[in-house]
Amino acid sequence: MWDLMLRKTSFLKQFDGLVKKFKDEKCFGIYNFRQRDVVVKDLELAKMVLIKDADHFIDRPIINLDGSKIESDKIVNYFLTQLKGDQWKKVRTLVSPVFTSGKLKMMVPHVQKCAENLDDVFSSAADSGEILEAKEVFGKYTIDAIATSGFGIELNSFKDPDSLFRQTALRMARAEGYSSKLDVLKFFIMIAVPKLSKLLGFSMMPTGTIEFFAKIIRQTVEQRRETGTRRNDIIDLLLDEIKKIGDDKTENGLKKEDIDVELAVISNAIIFFFAGFDTSSLTLATVIFSFLDKPAIQDRARQEIEDVVGDSKVITSDHLRDLKYLENVINEALRYYGLMNNTMRLCTKDYKIPDADFTIKKGMQVNVLTGCLAEECFFNPAELDPDNFDIKNNPNKIGFAGFGIGPRNCIGMRYAYIALKLALVKTITKYKVVKCEKTVDKLEFDISKNYFNGGVMFKVERLEKEE
């Protein structure tokens, strides 16, 4: 942990040395400051922790905000990612219907409208030879997409990059140029010494950011209730689910005393935004690098798009569902470049590891290193190969943590695939992404930037139409 704090090792490689040291063990223990943690590197034990015996590991490790008097912390503390046990189950029950395939289908037109703006950017860059930075470009798209899907706000961050909405979002995500190197130290203090952090007045989010978005949501909810206006976005769908809650248990199994209704709407609209726009732009940047690294992957993805979408001007949810190879490309980029290789859970009741003389005690954090399981889970793990996720090759999804594993996986996964696929369709249908003189040789992640050193720089070339 100290090596990580002192930046002697990467966040993504912090366990590498210990994995080699305990190469023959299913799991091993570490000290995380004063806390004893368990690290799992065995496939069968990973399945037990994350799926089979997940009731022993139902909570996620969190920064403890209980008792905070800061308004933004109260909202953050109601994020689905922060909630524990029964309260998490109740809010997950409320939110889950919002993210079904049928409901998300209604959001596709909103997101596609935002994706159309990418064409203007790439057309201009193809003509001028401009060097583009992937996260910068796709970050504008993902902010616009989630603003319209989650908040009912129409933006064009390509034309108005300095809008208050975008600037506040970048501050909230602590994007490069909007954060301080002291933020990492601050988070370590909040994790290791929560009482001290409260005395110092530390809050989870930068001042004013959560309050800004909460105000927008309250105004939007009030306006929708007064006028009856519908956009079939996240706010509408959350309000639909809340209407089902009665004094006694109703169709969604909840009653009024189970949920703080206003807090549920505000916190889950914000977490949808906060958890979505920065991670999605990072994922798209990683996929672009995979296209640069192996152009054959880009060519095959483009051919699939041509086969599935053809000349259709409207991209439907059915089109997106049928882009199987493109989905494999997304998953493989996340897997191969190791962005999500540690799935963390908190032990909620003592768990004796089968066939071992060790019990994981309640309160211990468990780190499941999915990257260590690749040899057993994929047919070509050492290579960047989207066919690792082809069903014909029998992939074991325990080896992939891109959207989490088990009951606490990412609830917004289906939406993420919609937004990611739409962006990639608009990127490579008419253009080819190519390396430039500023393209790095390999990706190196810097946690203080929440991005890769040197970025993902590329150019685009306009494809010639076949006669």
Side-chain angles (χ1 to χ4, degrees):
M1 184 59 71
W2 289 111
D3 283 349
L4 186 62
M5 282 187 67
L6 297 172
R7 300 181 70 182
K8 292 181 179 179
T9 187
S10 160
F11 175 75
L12 301 178
K13 297 179 179 179
Q14 59 178 313
F15 294 114
D16 286 4
L18 291 171
V19 167
K20 290 178 182 177
K21 183 177 180 180
F22 298 106
K23 62 181 180 178
D24 297 322
E25 304 296 334
K26 291 183 178 182
C27 62
F28 56 86
I30 61 170
Y31 276 98
N32 181 356
F33 294 107
R34 295 175 298 171
Q35 176 181 303
R36 295 194 302 160
D37 290 358
V38 175
V39 179
V40 173
K41 50 189 276 297
D42 173 76
L43 180 59
E44 291 306 314
L45 183 54
K47 288 179 184 177
M48 292 173 188
V49 169
L50 297 173
I51 299 175
K52 184 180 176 183
D53 297 323
D55 60 312
H56 286 74
F57 305 94
I58 205 65
D59 292 345
R60 287 182 173 187
I62 60 170
I63 293 177
N64 186 357
L65 301 175
D66 292 344
S68 174
K69 293 182 169 56
I70 301 171
E71 184 62 26
S72 63
D73 283 348
K74 293 177 184 177
I75 294 172
V76 171
N77 217 25
Y78 217 71
F79 282 1
L80 199 56
T81 50
Q82 282 278 124
L83 294 174
K84 301 177 182 178
D86 288 342
Q87 193 61 28
W88 165 77
K89 290 177 183 177
K90 290 172 183 175
V91 176
R92 178 97 179 193
T93 298
L94 173 73
V95 177
S96 289
V98 172
F99 293 96
T100 60
S101 298
K103 298 284 179 64
L104 291 174
K105 184 185 294 188
M106 297 185 286
M107 295 186 206
V108 173
H110 297 313
V111 183
Q112 183 174 353
K113 184 177 178 182
C114 298
E116 300 290 348
N117 295 330
L118 288 166
D119 190 58
D120 294 334
V121 176
F122 294 137
S123 179
S124 175
D127 292 338
S128 67
E130 179 187 358
I131 294 175
L132 301 172
E133 201 294 302
K135 194 179 180 189
E136 172 73 15
V137 171
F138 291 111
K140 292 174 182 175
Y141 157 73
T142 55
I143 282 180
D144 291 356
I146 296 183
T148 188
S149 303
F151 291 77
I153 294 174
E154 301 284 345
L155 297 176
N156 187 335
S157 294
F158 296 103
K159 290 184 177 179
D160 186 14
D162 297 322
S163 70
L164 183 58
F165 190 99
R166 179 170 182 265
Q167 295 300 308
T168 307
L170 291 171
R171 281 208 306 121
M172 186 169 74
R174 293 182 169 89
E176 188 174 3
Y178 294 82
S179 62
S180 164
K181 289 186 177 180
L182 292 176
D183 284 340
V184 176
L185 176 61
K186 173 182 167 182
F187 275 115
F188 277 121
I189 293 173
M190 291 182 77
I191 293 167
V193 199
K195 289 182 180 179
L196 175 61
S197 71
K198 287 174 184 175
L199 284 173
L200 295 174
F202 289 170
S203 62
M204 182 82 162
M205 297 293 183
T207 303
T209 56
I210 290 288
E211 295 87 345
F212 173 83
F213 292 110
K215 182 179 179 180
I216 290 175
I217 295 165
R218 287 190 178 101
Q219 290 173 342
T220 302
V221 169
E222 184 178 353
Q223 186 264 340
R224 301 264 177 100
R225 284 173 170 163
E226 287 178 355
T227 65
T229 303
R230 280 193 71 88
R231 292 184 78 255
N232 292 317
D233 54 19
I234 294 295
I235 289 179
D236 277 345
L237 298 176
L238 278 172
L239 292 175
D240 289 345
E241 293 306 311
I242 284 170
K243 287 176 185 175
K244 298 176 184 177
I245 302 174
D247 293 323
D248 298 314
K249 286 191 177 181
T250 47
E251 58 186 288
N252 56 13
L254 299 171
K255 50 188 178 180
K256 286 182 179 178
E257 65 185 47
D258 291 332
I259 302 283
D260 184 323
V261 173
E262 182 184 20
L263 204 52
V265 173
I266 292 171
S267 63
N268 285 289
I270 292 177
I271 189 59
F272 169 71
F273 181 78
F274 176 67
F277 92 86
D278 195 57
T279 53
S280 294
S281 58
L282 178 60
T283 299
L284 286 166
T286 309
V287 173
I288 293 299
F289 189 82
S290 76
F291 288 162
L292 300 173
D293 199 25
K294 285 198 172 183
I297 293 175
Q298 180 181 177
D299 294 339
R300 186 173 163 189
R302 183 181 296 109
Q303 184 59 55
E304 182 190 52
I305 293 167
E306 186 176 319
D307 294 341
V308 172
V309 180
D311 295 327
S312 176
K313 295 208 185 261
V314 177
I315 301 171
T316 67
S317 60
D318 290 339
H319 288 142
L320 297 175
R321 182 197 62 215
D322 291 340
L323 292 173
K324 302 295 186 185
Y325 181 74
L326 191 61
E327 186 167 314
N328 292 346
V329 169
I330 294 166
N331 292 342
E332 178 65 357
L334 289 172
R335 182 201 73 83
Y336 182 77
Y337 295 112
L339 285 184
M340 312 289 181
N341 58 15
N342 180 12
T343 302
M344 294 180 284
R345 295 290 183 263
L346 198 67
C347 184
T348 52
K349 50 186 176 180
D350 289 0
Y351 181 77
K352 184 181 183 304
I353 297 176
D355 303 318
D357 187 24
F358 184 74
T359 297
I360 300 175
K361 295 292 186 180
K362 179 180 178 180
M364 281 185 172
Q365 178 176 310
V366 180
N367 303 272
V368 180
L369 303 187
T370 51
C372 294
L373 313 177
E375 291 286 340
E376 297 176 84
C377 295
F378 300 103
F379 91 109
N380 191 16
E383 298 296 326
L384 174 66
D385 185 352
D387 284 339
N388 277 315
F389 286 87
D390 191 310
I391 57 173
K392 295 175 185 175
N393 294 317
N394 299 312
N396 187 331
K397 291 295 183 71
I398 288 290
F400 174 64
F403 295 95
I405 304 169
R408 289 207 71 148
N409 67 346
C410 174
I411 199 169
M413 178 176 65
R414 290 190 184 96
Y415 172 86
Y417 280 127
I418 288 172
L420 295 171
K421 288 180 180 181
L422 276 168
L424 293 170
V425 168
K426 288 298 177 183
T427 301
I428 64 173
T429 298
K430 293 165 59 177
Y431 306 95
K432 180 178 182 180
V433 301
V434 296
K435 289 183 178 181
C436 65
E437 59 270 24
K438 292 186 177 180
T439 305
V440 296
D441 293 327
K442 65 178 183 177
L443 296 181
E444 295 181 350
F445 191 81
D446 186 335
I447 191 173
S448 68
K449 299 176 182 177
N450 193 32
Y451 196 40
F452 306 113
N453 289 322
V456 176
M457 314 296 285
F458 68 103
K459 287 185 176 182
V460 292
E461 296 176 353
R462 189 177 276 104
L463 293 169
E464 293 186 14
K465 292 184 179 180
E466 294 183 1
E467 296 296 333

